[in-house]
Amino acid sequence: MKITPDENTGSLSGRISFVNIKDGNDGPWGSIGVITDDSYMNKDKVKVERSQAITVEMKAHTLLALAEILNKGDSIHLKYVLRVDKWKDKTSGLDRKALKSHCTQIVSHTSKAAKDCLKQAGIMKSPQQAQQPPQQAQQPPQQQSNNAGWGQPQQPQQPQSSYAHEKAN
């Protein structure tokens, strides 16, 4: 039996719901909210929409450097570790603790504007397009003659390499 070492890492992808920077007792700190899509198909093959809101703590210098480009609606993929934060409650004087996720790496970030451009160009599917049934394949355009006039669109010619010529012989 192989025993694997304990590991305290995770990965999270979703949309940014907020960016928060505050001054604390030990200096500035921050967090971002990430909304993840946790939808699934039930036994009747009906999609059940479900999402989770997760707050991820970040180092202040990282968040301050990225505050200008991280916006609500942007897509983000990050890695995190779980930590137990402990503190003394100011009103009751009791010791408190909470399990929190702390970002260790931002793997990727795509702005909402960039995603919208990719969807508009047809490079990225929107959720509505992904749910539509596939359409019939379109017929390829007809070949045009090579003697098209100046300014007329022409089909690009495929160059033949000498290697392809040698393989044919």
Side-chain angles (χ1 to χ4, degrees):
M1 180 167 107
K2 183 177 179 182
I3 298 176
T4 59
D6 293 343
E7 189 174 330
N8 179 20
T9 60
S11 179
L12 180 65
S13 296
R15 295 176 323 277
I16 296 174
S17 61
F18 68 84
V19 177
N20 185 15
I21 302 172
K22 291 187 175 184
D23 285 323
N25 293 337
D26 299 326
W29 62 276
S31 60
I32 62 171
V34 180
I35 306 292
T36 62
D37 180 9
D38 194 21
S39 301
Y40 64 94
M41 298 296 273
N42 68 12
K43 64 181 178 181
D44 299 325
K45 304 291 185 207
V46 176
K47 185 175 183 181
V48 177
E49 297 287 340
R50 188 168 71 176
S51 59
Q52 303 293 328
I54 300 166
T55 300
V56 181
E57 305 290 325
M58 295 187 82
K59 292 180 182 176
H61 69 276
T62 303
L63 198 54
L64 288 169
L66 298 174
E68 294 295 318
I69 63 168
L70 296 177
N71 296 298
K72 186 175 181 177
D74 292 358
S75 290
I76 193 162
H77 177 90
L78 52 87
K79 298 210 182 255
Y80 65 90
V81 295
L82 294 174
R83 292 190 186 139
V84 176
D85 285 353
K86 298 177 183 178
W87 69 96
K88 189 171 282 288
D89 190 314
K90 291 179 182 177
T91 56
S92 68
L94 297 174
D95 289 335
R96 301 282 186 190
K97 60 183 176 178
L99 182 64
K100 295 187 177 183
S101 54
H102 290 263
C103 179
T104 57
Q105 177 186 10
I106 295 177
V107 178
S108 68
H109 167 256
T110 307
S111 70
K112 184 177 183 310
K115 283 183 3 185
D116 291 343
C117 287
L118 291 171
K119 287 176 188 174
Q120 189 175 27
I123 297 170
M124 182 180 194
K125 289 185 178 180
S126 67
Q128 294 83 12
Q129 290 172 327
Q131 293 175 359
Q132 292 177 355
Q135 296 178 357
Q136 291 180 349
Q138 295 179 352
Q139 296 294 327
Q142 296 294 324
Q143 288 279 347
Q144 295 180 1
S145 65
N146 287 338
N147 60 358
W150 176 258
Q152 298 296 318
Q154 297 181 3
Q155 287 285 67
Q157 297 287 327
Q158 293 293 335
Q160 285 192 341
S161 69
S162 60
Y163 178 74
H165 180 359
E166 290 171 12
K167 292 280 281 184
N169 291 335

